[in-house]
Amino acid sequence: MSTEQDHQGLHPVVAAVTERVVERSAATRAAYLARTRAAAETGPARGRLACANLAHGFAAAGPVDKAALRGTVKPNLAIVTSYNDMLSAHQPFETYPPALKKAVVRAGGIAQVAGGVPAMCDGVTQGRAGMQLSLYSRDVIAMSTAIALSHDMFDGALLLGVCDKIVPGLVMGALSFGHLPTVLVPAGPMESGLPNKEKAAVRQRYAEGLASREELLEAEAASYHSAGTCTFYGTANSNQLLMEVMGLHLPGASFVNPGTPLRTALTDAAAARVTELAHRQQTGQAGAAPIGELVDERVLVNACVALLASGGSTNHTMHLVAMARAAGVELTWQDLSDLSAVVPLLCRIYPNGSADVNHFQAAGGIAFLVRTLLDAGLLHEDVQTVAGPGLRRYTREPRLGADGGVEWVEGPTASLDPDVLRLAGDPFSVDGGLRVLTGPLGQAVIKTSAVAPEHRVVTAPALVFDDQADFLQAFADGTLDGRDLVAVIRYQGPAANGMPELHKLTPALGVLQDRGQRVAVVTDGRMSGASGKVPAAIHVTPEAALGGVLARLRDGDLVTVDADRGVLTVEDVDAVLARSSTGAAPTAEEFAGTGRELFATFRATVGPADQGASVFPPVPVHHGVPAHA
């Protein structure tokens, strides 16, 4: 891929990182594209099936669809859905398949529900044994998507997903069918409820014993109150913003509330658009933008920039790497860190501010964010998108037309609320608030966008815990009071126990910090987009369960977390390295129950966090020559 033309006006660091990714990925990307292009043929895919295969594929279709499927002329679109009615963000998808089918038919195609994928809620499983399945579910979703698309019946795909691991998993699965035009279909955020700042205050008062469980539940219910995505800027809403900036959503589709006429019109427009793209693919026309061609090095760098500029979830330091690898692209944490040094923080959305995603949308939303980043030379404009060539299309906003369809108009050129969203020339911070820490303890990620400058460097004695429950018990017992500390929460990595979220640590740590104690956390686990004001060195690699130095730490070791210099170290390193392990990873017996025993193979084969924490190997190459399709 040549980026010379695209680099005109591009920030030199963005250009350099892109070139570095291109060079590093040359063999794997070539192998991936060779495989993908070999799978793309003219005409409907089902036309190559034997009669018995095809008959199975349309046996349950109604008379009209059956005739169309037998005719092997119209494109057939796969609908892959993550619907369930327990997960608020995905409950609206209940009615999407029949609506999408009708819209596809109106556009000249056919559609079938190809399959479903699991969709678990980290909010429900938080602090529970089920959370240990959460990260693994991403790869299960990728495999489920591949199974859904594996029948050679389909000419394009509509992927229905919103939250956490679901969207990255859908993308990874779809990239195995990179020859198919693919559009992701969101459902939108719930309307704003109890302000996030007030919810966080109640959580912290509850942690101090100053609020009752009834008060806490009332606050949580007032915040998470209806169908739609939770409105704070965690992984789910980071997913939505990234899919739009990557050109996998229609422009402006991410943050339109469920149940509105515009939401319905955008869903219909997504169906019509993927039908058009599939027809282009079938007939050999230009502009089909199959997902494997669309998700290239420039698009992935754009995703990194958007994540940093918006202050998005640290989970994407793994998900972006994993999605990139699925497309044959080798993205690293260092790429993200180098970009973070020059990408300004332009958004204040909770937990990096008091606003929620509805306020962000009202302030100008993604259209304004894309515009100011393009104008500053921080995004590649010369990319493919499902809406057509060029990222400038995503500076437009959808409006409901007189006929009930979608019309796109130019978005705002000025922020409508500078407390929430700003121009690149007037940022909240000159950098993206994400650092890679390195040192004797390994490599880690730290998100500083919500951490006050005076808290970004902490040197304090370690208190070491092999389970988050032990830390919370120590807090409840008062043994953490009145001392500076670095809480080391280890054996929480992908190979140890699936790398569960550690959100429950945040209120307790916040209490200690508010009391004037200097505190930080170091963990090989995750704290995600809900991590906040306490410095947290997360995703430490190598993890303790695989021999990382965290396994040798003990109480009292003097640990330094320095977000300013990018350092994660311990005093008297040689003495620490000379020790045997001071703890132990969970045993197989401890994983009995809650389905965890079914994932022993995942724990044994999962890769490290800095390589995406995936069970999937990289795209194979054969002696430097693209592998056969």
Side-chain angles (χ1 to χ4, degrees):
M1 182 194 76
S2 172
T3 55
E4 182 177 349
Q5 181 180 3
D6 188 36
H7 283 179
Q8 295 177 3
L10 197 64
H11 190 287
V13 172
V14 177
V17 169
T18 305
E19 289 289 4
R20 186 169 76 202
V21 173
V22 169
E23 292 171 7
R24 185 192 304 133
S25 309
T28 50
R29 180 64 176 167
Y32 172 80
L33 289 175
R35 185 185 73 198
T36 295
R37 290 165 181 170
E41 300 182 42
T42 56
R46 63 191 181 280
R48 295 178 287 282
L49 294 177
C51 292
N53 303 67
L54 182 55
H56 277 289
F58 62 60
V64 174
D65 284 352
K66 185 174 289 189
L69 288 166
R70 287 184 65 145
T72 65
V73 175
K74 296 181 178 181
N76 186 28
L77 285 305
I79 299 171
V80 181
T81 178
S82 56
Y83 161 72
N84 65 46
D85 62 7
M86 181 276 299
L87 182 53
S88 66
H90 290 222
Q91 186 274 342
F93 288 139
E94 179 181 12
T95 59
Y96 276 41
L100 288 167
K101 287 182 179 183
K102 290 178 182 177
V104 168
V105 168
R106 288 195 297 270
I110 327 158
Q112 294 178 293
V113 176
V117 303
M120 66 180 292
C121 180
D122 287 5
V124 175
T125 57
Q126 188 59 238
R128 312 291 299 173
M131 174 59 85
Q132 295 178 13
L133 308 185
S134 175
L135 182 58
Y136 294 151
S137 77
R138 183 197 65 195
D139 289 6
V140 172
I141 289 161
M143 291 186 282
S144 300
T145 303
I147 290 169
L149 298 176
S150 67
H151 298 92
D152 287 335
M153 286 283 294
F154 306 112
D155 307 298
L158 289 154
L159 307 181
L160 278 54
V162 174
C163 287
D164 296 303
K165 271 56 69 181
I166 296 105
V167 164
L170 287 168
V171 171
M172 290 162 66
L175 284 167
S176 285
F177 295 80
H179 60 290
L180 296 180
T182 300
V183 175
L184 276 92
V185 185
M190 64 179 70
E191 295 180 355
S192 300
L194 181 73
N196 286 299
K197 189 174 182 179
E198 293 181 31
K199 175 192 67 181
V202 176
R203 284 181 175 177
Q204 189 158 314
R205 288 198 301 111
Y206 180 75
E208 294 180 271
L210 302 177
S212 68
R213 178 179 170 85
E214 289 73 21
E215 289 177 272
L216 178 64
L217 181 58
E218 185 63 30
E220 299 288 1
S223 181
Y224 309 121
H225 59 88
S226 67
T229 319
C230 306
T231 58
F232 73 93
Y233 194 48
T235 311
N237 286 315
S238 297
N239 279 338
Q240 301 313 292
L241 185 141
L242 293 187
M243 290 304 103
E244 190 161 327
V245 176
M246 290 173 72
L248 291 170
H249 280 175
L250 290 181
S254 296
F255 297 133
V256 175
N257 301 123
T260 60
L262 182 56
R263 176 83 274 159
T264 300
L266 282 164
T267 302
D268 289 350
R273 182 59 180 166
V274 79
T275 305
E276 179 186 349
L277 295 176
H279 178 72
R280 287 175 180 268
Q281 178 91 326
Q282 285 180 346
T283 56
Q285 297 181 53
I291 188 170
E293 303 276 355
L294 189 157
V295 180
D296 65 10
E297 297 92 336
R298 290 168 296 183
V299 164
L300 288 159
V301 168
N302 281 354
C304 294
V305 170
L307 179 75
L308 295 163
S310 61
S313 169
T314 54
N315 275 334
H316 279 291
T317 62
M318 292 181 293
H319 297 328
L320 281 171
V321 170
M323 286 188 284
R325 284 163 67 91
V329 177
E330 296 184 28
L331 187 69
T332 70
W333 284 357
Q334 193 59 52
D335 297 328
L336 273 159
S337 187
D338 290 350
L339 289 168
S340 183
V342 299
V343 174
L345 180 68
L346 304 182
C347 305
R348 283 291 188 202
I349 322 172
Y350 186 84
N352 304 325
S354 60
D356 67 19
V357 294
N358 291 313
H359 302 138
F360 166 73
Q361 176 77 349
I366 295 174
F368 178 82
L369 182 66
V370 169
R371 181 187 300 278
T372 191
L373 288 171
L374 281 171
D375 290 348
L378 292 166
L379 288 173
H380 293 275
E381 201 281 330
D382 185 20
V383 294
Q384 286 292 330
T385 78
V386 298
L391 193 59
R392 281 281 170 190
R393 295 172 183 273
Y394 286 75
T395 64
R396 299 182 299 171
E397 292 184 329
R399 294 285 184 268
L400 204 62
D403 61 353
V406 180
E407 297 176 352
W408 276 272
V409 300
E410 280 302 314
T413 57
S415 172
L416 302 177
D417 188 346
D419 291 332
V420 177
L421 181 60
R422 291 188 178 178
L423 285 164
D426 180 30
F428 293 104
S429 172
V430 294
D431 62 42
L434 189 74
R435 303 277 195 283
V436 173
L437 307 181
T438 57
L441 296 181
Q443 187 176 52
V445 171
I446 188 167
K447 181 178 178 180
T448 60
S449 50
V451 179
E454 63 269 23
H455 295 308
R456 292 180 182 176
V457 180
V458 175
T459 297
L463 286 180
V464 182
F465 302 90
D466 292 352
D467 190 297
Q468 63 174 320
D470 296 336
F471 170 86
L472 293 171
Q473 187 60 54
F475 173 79
D477 293 342
T479 58
L480 308 183
D481 294 349
R483 61 162 95 177
D484 295 345
L485 63 102
V486 173
V488 177
I489 318 294
R490 63 187 181 181
Y491 298 109
Q492 305 299 308
N497 64 353
M499 210 179 192
E501 295 274 16
L502 304 175
H503 287 177
K504 283 188 175 294
L505 304 178
T506 302
L509 289 163
V511 168
L512 299 176
Q513 188 185 75
D514 287 352
R515 290 175 180 168
Q517 297 170 232
R518 295 193 62 76
V519 294
V521 63
V522 175
T523 180
D524 47 13
R526 294 185 293 134
M527 292 187 76
S528 174
S531 57
K533 62 187 183 181
V534 175
I538 60 177
H539 308 174
V540 175
T541 305
E543 62 176 284
L546 296 180
V549 179
L550 289 190
R552 295 179 171 87
L553 290 180
R554 63 189 181 198
D555 289 353
D557 286 335
L558 199 64
V559 173
T560 294
V561 177
D562 188 336
D564 291 337
R565 295 190 300 123
V567 172
L568 178 62
T569 190
V570 60
E571 191 177 68
D572 202 357
V573 173
D574 291 339
V576 173
L577 294 176
R579 288 180 201 149
S580 299
S581 174
T582 59
T587 62
E589 291 77 12
E590 294 178 70
F591 290 115
T594 323
R596 292 173 294 167
E597 66 275 13
L598 303 177
F599 287 80
T601 301
F602 277 59
R603 288 190 292 274
T605 59
V606 68
D610 62 347
Q611 294 180 28
S614 176
V615 299
F616 305 137
V619 171
V621 293
H622 182 63
H623 299 302
V625 178
H628 293 296

